[in-house]
Amino acid sequence: MTKLTLARTLRDLYDPAEKGTAFAIDGFVPEEVLAYWLGRGVLGQTSNQTLFLKRLQEGALDEDILRLHQEGLTPAEIFNRLYDREVAKSAEALARWVRDDHLGVSRETDALRAHNPEAVAAEAVQIQRLSPHIFVKIANVGATKEQVRATIAGAMVRAYREGIFLNPNITLVFGFHHYLNTVTGFLDGLEAIAQMGGDPSPVNSVNSLFVSRLDTATDELIDRQMQREPQKGALLAMLKGKAGIAHAKLVYRLFRAIFFAEPLGEEVTFLTDGEHSLLEDCQSRWRRLRERFPQLRVQRLLLASTSNKKPSVYSELLYVLPLLGPHLANTIPVKTLEALERFLQERGIPRRPTVLEPVPWVLQTGDTIAEWEDAVIHIDRVPTKSPCEVLTLLHEHVYAPQGTSLRQLTDELRDKGAEAFACDQQRAYELIEARLAVISAR
């Protein structure tokens, strides 16, 4: 393998010419912490109902809660007013540090009304008006896939009609089929703006693929299958910690196929005939749009939920090291950013698109963390399997024997994720009421 220069900083990993991997902070942090990481090369910040609930639980917003209550606002209105304010503050900080290409500060739309396309569109426009440095999260939630597409496109069109361009962050995308459908909705929006006589080039968008939860669910299935088929223990143990990476690499290939007309590289048996046709349709639609609007920006693939859920078992950089490449984004918490910075300073990371490489076929346990990290860095020294090979093995030996599939599992994860965000939003309302009762009793 040709010797490559090593990246030693976050800025080294993001080559503006290649639109290399861009990092965003996952969650709210103190202003000085945000400023520090923006100065180190971070290009954005993300939030959701769960993360804002944590912000409320810290107690730092109690005085603001009381003041807004005294102004006559309901708990729901207080929640939205403070959420908007916190996001706007982060957007201002981002504007000071990042002048050009950025990931914005992502703000989620109402999780309790995610099934109402008109409500989502109206709120999306309201949020976007706060700052051009905000990305508005629109959830992959709807009664049908057609409704999901219509919600995405409808929000983009409504914003244009009201005189602004929406920067959509399509969230709660868990499966490859979710990705294809939500990209289609994004293209629907771009084409609708063009048909109205507009130039959609200012639109900046990301499509957020949730990664770690797939491993959490799959590893549980693997443990169950090891009890059923102990004779397959070695193979099943090898499959642990590989579902999320393999799936993300597959989705990245779909992304490259759509926006850069690159071949998939191997047969993707997971796609139905209809999805193959949808992929080809997305390719041709994007090509026509780009021919008409040469400055149109690709919808960057953003890797979400990329903190390691098993820190004593897997590397803290499980969803970072093997998923670096052009036009990628990754939202990670400060703990993972710190681990990445240490790794860059102590060892360095070769500047190459690891996301296009196969999956290291090495055991992943608490005792092999360093070995796995070395395997990713020196991929030519270890056995490997392609993403589709890994996913096929998972289907044959884990998913199918337990009556499920990658498609079904990711649908369930999406629905659980949407329910969790809605529950946390409701919990935030209840927390505000409880805070008011305590503050008023003082």
Side-chain angles (χ1 to χ4, degrees), residues 13 176 179 222 258 275 323 388 392 413 435:
L13 289 175
F176 59 89
Y179 176 73
I222 290 175
I258 292 170
E275 287 164 348
L323 299 173
C388 285
T392 297
L413 290 170
R435 281 278 197 270

Side-chain angles (χ1 to χ4, degrees), residues 166-204:
L166 187 72
N167 297 326
N169 176 343
I170 315 306
T171 187
L172 286 176
V173 175
F174 280 90
F176 59 89
H177 55 306
H178 302 158
Y179 176 73
L180 284 174
N181 191 56
T182 53
V183 170
T184 303
F186 171 66
L187 296 176
D188 289 343
L190 294 179
E191 289 178 341
I193 292 172
Q195 288 169 4
M196 295 165 64
D199 178 352
S201 296
V203 173
N204 200 359

Side-chain angles (χ1 to χ4, degrees), residues 391-412:
L391 294 173
T392 297
L393 287 170
L394 283 166
H395 176 75
E396 294 175 350
H397 299 282
V398 181
Y399 300 146
Q402 296 190 54
T404 189
S405 65
L406 178 61
R407 188 185 300 269
Q408 181 178 337
L409 190 60
T410 50
D411 280 348
E412 292 171 358

Side-chain angles (χ1 to χ4, degrees), residues 53-72:
L53 173 62
K54 292 179 181 178
R55 181 81 174 109
L56 291 170
Q57 289 169 333
E58 294 169 359
L61 303 178
D62 282 359
E63 291 185 8
D64 298 297
I65 290 173
L66 178 60
R67 176 178 54 80
L68 293 173
H69 170 68
Q70 292 172 340
E71 292 178 10

Side-chain angles (χ1 to χ4, degrees), residues 55 211 253:
R55 181 81 174 109
V211 183
R253 292 184 181 185

